Amino acid sequence: MQKHLKFLNFRLDVVVKDICGLTGLKIIEDICKGNLDPNELAKHRHYNCRKSEAEIAKALHGNNREDFLLG
């Protein structure tokens, strides 16, 4: 999972300690549904997350490559 996120330039592992935690899973679920807007994805931040919404959004600016999204 983390490998494909890196291919898409989503550096979720940098801003979220555990990508299988509450914040990580909600963001991944939203990406799977087609939402690639970093600001919208950052709104899934759990209140216990150490990074701010702005920091999370900055790490989630993807390259939006269709070949990686469809695979």
Side-chain angles (χ1 to χ4, degrees):
M1 176 74 69
Q2 205 163 338
K3 180 180 174 181
H4 290 284
L5 289 171
K6 284 183 184 178
F7 285 152
L8 290 168
N9 201 32
F10 288 127
R11 295 308 313 259
L12 187 59
D13 59 319
V14 173
V15 291
V16 178
K17 184 177 179 181
D18 180 17
I19 66 166
C20 292
L22 292 172
T23 301
L25 287 178
K26 285 185 179 182
I27 290 173
I28 291 170
E29 181 182 339
D30 216 14
I31 290 170
C32 290
K33 290 180 181 176
N35 184 6
L36 302 176
D37 180 25
N39 296 316
E40 290 295 318
L41 294 172
K43 290 181 181 178
H44 292 296
R45 177 189 171 270
H46 190 265
Y47 68 90
N48 282 342
C49 188
R50 293 181 180 171
K51 302 290 184 176
S52 68
E53 278 190 28
E55 290 173 306
I56 293 173
K58 187 176 178 182
L60 296 177
H61 281 281
N63 55 18
N64 299 336
R65 289 191 49 186
E66 291 292 327
D67 53 332
F68 289 134
L69 288 171
L70 298 175

